[in-house]
Amino acid sequence: MALRQFSLARQFFQPLFKQLEDKTGINLENAVYYKGQAQHYIVMTPTKRSLVDLGVLREAQPASGGLLDRSNVSTECLAAMAKQVGMFFDLPTVLCESQGVMIFDFSDVQRLESASSMAGNVFVCAVGDALLEPFWPEGLGIMRGFMSALDAASAVAVAASGQTDKAAAQMANTYNVLKSVAAQTASQCLQK
């Protein structure tokens, strides 16, 4: 229980992630450690190259099945990688027998083509995750959710005045800005 939870992203802790890569050969974009009374877990985002180099992915471009198809993933290598990361961060490395390690694909971000539309005479806006699937390692989900809700409220106010074309154009403009917001670009996209 003396261990503290943490959330680290490469862009903010470059020397630490470089040290991890030099020591283990594991190239991560982020590492998040959660703990509770009975369990703990780490969520990390390794690069595809790192997964291939460490043998977690048997093939970088599998001939059949998807990249993360069971036949292309070595859970033994994935477990070894998770233990190495755990040891690097001085975390316990005993894995749960039933769900020791799992792998998910965050490389395919889903987003709508248009942030608003007309449904009959009703101006409709999508907000939050319905508008733009978040890339949670950067902590953008809640920020994009609030920003898209505020953008939608503003556009609905314009649409309520009868200017639906102007409201749609406003939503398209703010949606384009919102899509370009990332941890490293926020200061260029958003006003203080």
Side-chain angles (χ1 to χ4, degrees):
M1 291 306 294
L3 296 171
R4 296 184 58 103
Q5 295 186 135
F6 61 79
S7 178
L8 306 170
R10 183 178 198 95
Q11 67 263 27
F12 302 119
F13 296 93
Q14 289 183 5
L16 180 66
F17 281 84
K18 177 73 170 117
Q19 184 182 3
L20 169 68
E21 187 174 4
D22 291 345
K23 187 172 183 178
T24 65
I26 300 169
N27 184 353
L28 296 181
E29 296 298 325
N30 77 315
V32 181
Y33 173 64
Y34 299 99
K35 68 173 183 140
Q37 294 291 331
Q39 73 271 345
H40 67 102
Y41 61 98
I42 189 166
V43 178
M44 57 189 160
T45 309
T47 62
K48 179 180 175 183
R49 174 77 331 208
S50 190
L51 291 171
V52 171
D53 291 348
L54 294 166
V56 174
L57 297 177
R58 293 184 174 98
E59 295 180 47
Q61 301 291 329
S64 63
L67 184 65
L68 298 184
D69 189 79
R70 288 179 188 240
S71 64
N72 196 44
V73 176
S74 167
T75 54
E76 295 81 16
C77 291
L78 181 60
M81 184 181 91
K83 287 181 179 184
Q84 282 185 297
V85 171
M87 287 189 307
F88 178 83
F89 287 112
D90 294 321
L91 300 174
T93 57
V94 176
L95 299 176
C96 174
E97 288 183 31
S98 62
Q99 292 183 324
V101 291
M102 291 183 271
I103 191 166
F104 304 95
D105 186 358
F106 290 106
S107 64
D108 185 26
V109 176
Q110 302 279 325
R111 50 178 68 138
L112 290 177
E113 289 182 26
S114 176
S116 65
S117 65
M118 291 296 294
N121 291 332
V122 179
F123 183 72
V124 179
C125 301
V127 299
D129 292 354
L131 176 64
L132 180 64
E133 187 177 44
F135 183 59
W136 64 264
E138 288 191 342
L140 297 174
I142 194 69
M143 187 274 300
R144 283 181 174 161
F146 275 110
M147 297 299 284
S148 65
L150 293 171
D151 294 341
S154 176
V156 166
V158 172
S161 72
Q163 301 177 64
T164 55
D165 288 343
K166 184 177 178 182
Q170 179 179 319
M171 277 301 290
N173 182 43
T174 57
Y175 181 43
N176 285 334
V177 171
L178 196 60
K179 287 188 290 187
S180 63
V181 173
Q184 294 178 338
T185 62
S187 64
Q188 292 126 11
C189 300
L190 304 174
Q191 296 177 4
K192 290 190 180 221

